[in-house]
Amino acid sequence: MEDGLPCLASVCNSSALTNFCTDDSISAASTSDVQDRLSALELRVQQQEDEITVLKAALADVLRRLAISEDHVASVRKSAPSKGQPGLREAISMSCITNGSTGNRKSSHSPAVPIARKETLSSAAKSGTEKKKEKLQGQREKKEDSHSNDQNPQTQASPSPSPQPSAQTHPTHRQTPEVKSSAPGKSVKRSSTVEKSHGSWESSEDSRNKLMRAASASKLIPKGGKNADKHKDVIVSQEGEYIKMFMRGRPITMFLPSDVDKYYEIKTELPPEKLKLEWIYGYRGRDCRANVYLLPTGEIVYFIASVVVLFNYEERTQRHYLGHTDCVKCLAVHPDKIRIATGQLAGVDKDGRLLHPHVRVWDSVSLMTLQVIGLGTFERGVGCLDFSKADSGMHLCVIDDSNEHMLTVWDWQKKSKVAEIKTTNEVVLAVAFHPTDKDTIITSGKSHIFFWTWNGNSLARKQGIFGKYEKPKFVQCLAFLGNGEVLTGDSGGILLIWSRTTVETTPGKGSKGVYQISRQIKAHDGSVFTLCQMRNGMLLTGGGKDRKIILWDHDLNPEREIEVPDQYGTIRAVAEGKADQVLIGTSRNFILRGTFNDGFQVEVQGHTDELWGLGTHPFKDLFLTCAQDRQVCMWNSVDHTLEWTRLLDEPGHCADFHPSGTVVAIGTHSGRWFVLDAETRDLVSIHTDGNEQLSVMRYTVDGTFLAVGSHDNFIYVYTVTDNGRKYSRYGKCSGHSSYITHLDWSPENKFIMSNSGDYEILYWNIPDGCKLIRNRSECKDVDWVTYTCVLGFQVFGVWPEGSDGTDINALIRSHNRKVIAVADDFCKVHLFQYPCSKAKVCLNGLAYGAM
């Protein structure tokens, strides 16, 4: 008894000690009191952590608003007239892009679309591969400041410098021998410039990857020396009348305009214009899950293609993290709500080299990359990932898309892999650290749930036993209850609660903890796709087939539910919003926001399959898209909202507005084409040309003719009357040996220039019966109304070295005829000076491409 007095004296007062001596039952009560006090202390610590998180969020919001202010000041200074030609330099990336031009912006923004009031069918452009190139500078620059996305917070943001902690970056100069060996004969000065200012957190492996990409980019730079303007793929005729370039060994002849005396004297410079990403339409929800979150700054974070979007729905602004080189597939938010980890798929660069899948950890305030992990470790892609909670997010667990679905644990700040193990050959859909037990990791997927014990550099697996309960086809999502129990949702619509129990093992080996099912709840008709543990301890579940969001109380009794209308698809992600609001990501690529009382409204939407056709209104801030999902969407480029949408009978592949802006023509994959009223979306007329895909629609400048390019190798020409509402066949251009890819009209509607799938450049005389012009030199001086053909003397310099003829998908000349925008096969957009008549010239601008 005396031995116990000192211990009890520390937790009991004198009267309690006296009672202890006279009543042994008080011992248990005192122990219970200690536990209560410990619980109270834990609760207080949790509250303090929440307060710290709120303070960090407030600081993050202040920094973001400062960045906006600096951006505004910088734009005002830039708009001031200055003498002399500004030197070429890197474009300054802004941390926040306002919704369109601030000078022309209205004070009130269009409200989000209410589900109950506005019928809008879904859509979201299917993400393509996303490749980020290093920026290359001219040799006459006074300052070269080229930074890759991994190191420079400015290039990670969508424009405008944002305040950065000085401790985050430590630029160092790298040596260039590796660049020499990778690209012999190239400019050493350019290559070294590309490699400047690598962050101190990078490993040699990451640096090598950067050097390889820089060397690849350096191939675009012309060789120095006397014949610097010459290229092995370009031949100039002795008379200087034409040049030949070669595509896959096939010669392409282009005649020099009359105002060009000597081809080698042509000088091509970088355009002064720069590219910056303003807005992204769409969200990737169709084949992803748990990828929508609300940050403390009030921004919704999600991804599409290779870009992670931070969308402030109240201020109608977007910021973009642009560090990834291919499609982002998963996302996790750090416990501090500031840092974010995103994993990407493997890809291939323009030279056919593998772009390794990896995870990037970055700061959501500065948009600066903090760490790149897993280069050379993951296979195919990163499937899912999660930050640890019990140790304040020091570790990151990752499941890759290899056949064995490798589970790796990383000390991400040190960029070191702590443990690695094969999980299963079946699909793995979720991975999560236990919030209170730092040594426990749970994975789930097809017909399994595994409980992993992490000890140092080893991982030990315990399989969840379903026992008397029916084994589901898929265990699709995980969550944790307040008492530490594991909650799973499966493809049968069932919620299972897994409780940890202690069972005795063989004598002498002690006991071990195992998880067993303690309770089963029927939650949804169809799959349970997502679970969300709320701040108040309640639970949100999202269903597939029934499209319901259900709110569960602390005892897992259903309290509220709401059904999402069918046009928005099934539930893919659920997150807690501000106050009592809920954020929902759907399979038809919508992000909805709302409450159980008021319903939901659309915040983000796009196409749900590959986007093929794009047309811009001739004088309004509108553009139209059509896609494989059969949706035709009219977008407002100022308010970034959907004006209207219409479902076609078949997928749309190309579109063009009539010059009057009253109608728009849309070509489909079957040879049919539709004319729609641009305001009412009513059908005006239907026509059919052949039975193959239509690839291009092009009106003349006065709107009296329409040319329709088809995959049947013909161009169909129509006369147009009644302001674009009546059409009659005029003729057919026959002569191409492959499908039509691009075409343009001359100002007087006399000629058409067209390209085909086998790299032909042909010209047609329309008044003369749509006949092929045999002497192509007759059209060398034609000033085309538009320039969208990817092959021609004025634009052939945009083609990269070693191209197979399919690398460039679209090209457009600006209205002021000074620059060309080019979209390539790697989802990048580039700017070139117009005309671009030198082989393999340096490009200006970078792709931010969510195409």
Side-chain angles (χ1 to χ4, degrees), residues 477-785:
C477 48
L478 300 168
F480 299 92
L481 302 179
N483 58 4
E485 293 178 325
V486 179
L487 183 68
T488 61
D490 61 42
S491 54
I494 303 296
L495 295 178
L496 293 176
I497 300 174
W498 300 77
S499 301
R500 185 164 188 151
T501 60
T502 303
V503 297
E504 189 71 24
T505 59
T506 55
K509 293 189 177 180
S511 61
K512 65 177 182 178
V514 296
Y515 282 89
Q516 294 181 346
I517 299 174
S518 61
R519 186 179 173 190
Q520 174 181 274
I521 303 171
K522 178 63 176 177
H524 291 270
D525 294 329
S527 297
V528 180
F529 266 103
T530 183
L531 302 171
C532 174
Q533 189 74 32
M534 303 179 70
R535 291 184 292 269
N536 60 8
M538 301 181 76
L539 180 74
L540 289 171
T541 62
K545 182 179 179 181
D546 62 7
R547 306 185 312 281
K548 288 182 179 180
I549 303 294
I550 302 179
L551 176 65
W552 305 79
D553 64 17
H554 296 81
D555 298 322
L556 291 182
N557 297 313
E559 188 172 288
R560 301 287 301 276
E561 69 175 50
I562 188 171
E563 182 177 334
V564 174
D566 179 62
Q567 73 244 36
Y568 300 103
T570 59
I571 311 302
R572 282 292 185 268
V574 174
E576 190 174 6
K578 293 182 178 180
D580 59 345
Q581 292 183 347
V582 177
L583 301 175
I584 302 173
T586 74
S587 61
R588 293 186 178 174
N589 297 343
F590 284 84
I591 295 180
L592 311 175
R593 178 177 61 90
T595 66
F596 285 94
N597 293 327
D598 302 328
F600 294 91
Q601 60 188 23
V602 176
E603 292 294 348
V604 179
Q605 66 186 112
H607 286 280
T608 58
D609 211 332
E610 291 185 1
L611 192 150
W612 284 84
L614 171 67
T616 57
H617 196 281
F619 49 85
K620 292 183 179 180
D621 294 320
L622 301 172
F623 66 93
L624 180 138
T625 57
C626 54
Q628 195 68 23
D629 61 7
R630 300 187 294 130
Q631 293 288 333
V632 176
C633 299
M634 183 75 79
W635 306 89
N636 187 311
S637 61
V638 175
D639 296 331
H640 306 299
T641 55
L642 181 68
E643 295 286 317
W644 56 257
T645 183
R646 180 188 174 106
L647 186 66
L648 298 180
D649 297 334
E650 49 195 294
H653 279 257
C654 52
D656 193 33
F657 278 89
H658 188 270
S660 66
T662 57
V663 297
V664 59
I666 302 165
T668 70
H669 81 299
S670 68
R672 288 205 300 170
W673 51 279
F674 303 85
V675 179
L676 302 181
D677 188 291
E679 292 187 3
T680 66
R681 60 186 159 178
D682 293 335
L683 182 63
V684 175
S685 61
I686 303 178
H687 303 270
T688 303
D689 288 309
N691 56 6
E692 296 190 37
Q693 171 187 328
L694 301 181
S695 51
V696 57
M697 314 283 289
R698 187 77 66 224
Y699 285 99
T700 56
V701 66
D702 59 2
T704 57
F705 286 94
L706 172 68
V708 181
S710 172
H711 271 225
D712 63 7
N713 304 354
F714 299 125
I715 299 174
Y716 300 91
V717 181
Y718 284 80
T719 57
V720 183
T721 57
D722 196 14
N723 217 21
R725 296 182 176 272
K726 291 185 179 180
Y727 298 80
S728 59
R729 175 79 70 84
Y730 178 83
K732 182 171 69 173
C733 301
S734 175
H736 273 294
S737 59
S738 185
Y739 58 90
I740 312 302
T741 58
H742 307 83
L743 64 86
D744 293 289
W745 283 94
S746 64
E748 68 285 353
N749 308 340
K750 183 178 181 180
F751 302 113
I752 286 179
M753 172 176 60
S754 58
N755 294 165
S756 67
D758 59 355
Y759 326 124
E760 293 174 315
I761 308 173
L762 299 185
Y763 302 91
W764 312 88
N765 190 319
I766 304 305
D768 195 22
C770 301
K771 290 184 179 180
L772 176 66
I773 298 176
R774 302 294 178 180
N775 184 6
R776 286 177 289 172
S777 63
E778 295 179 11
C779 296
K780 64 181 182 180
D781 294 324
V782 174
D783 184 20
W784 305 100
V785 174

Side-chain angles (χ1 to χ4, degrees), residues 18-91:
T18 303
N19 292 335
F20 175 83
C21 297
T22 58
D23 189 354
D24 291 340
S25 65
I26 300 299
S27 178
S30 300
T31 303
S32 175
D33 182 58
V34 171
Q35 294 297 328
D36 292 341
R37 294 183 64 184
L38 287 175
S39 299
L41 288 173
E42 289 178 354
L43 179 60
R44 185 175 179 182
V45 169
Q46 181 62 47
Q47 291 174 345
Q48 290 176 343
E49 289 180 352
D50 293 341
E51 292 174 358
I52 292 173
T53 300
V54 172
L55 290 174
K56 288 182 178 180
L59 176 60
D61 192 55
V62 169
L63 292 175
R64 183 175 62 83
R65 294 178 183 275
L66 283 174
I68 297 175
S69 300
E70 291 179 359
D71 170 34
H72 178 70
V73 173
S75 62
V76 170
R77 290 177 178 176
K78 186 175 181 180
S79 62
S82 59
K83 296 181 178 180
Q85 179 68 24
L88 297 174
R89 61 186 180 278
E90 285 287 342

Side-chain angles (χ1 to χ4, degrees), residues 16 23 41-42 62 135 159 161 164 233-234 237 294 340 360 406 424 426 452 468 503 577 669 718-720 795 813:
D23 189 354
L41 288 173
E42 289 178 354
V62 169
K135 298 183 179 179
Q164 308 296 337
D233 288 342
V234 176
S237 66
L294 181 69
I340 295 174
R360 289 174 178 264
M406 301 297 295
T424 175
E426 302 290 356
W452 302 86
K468 64 180 181 179
V503 297
H669 81 299
Y718 284 80
T719 57
V720 183
V795 299
R813 181 185 62 195

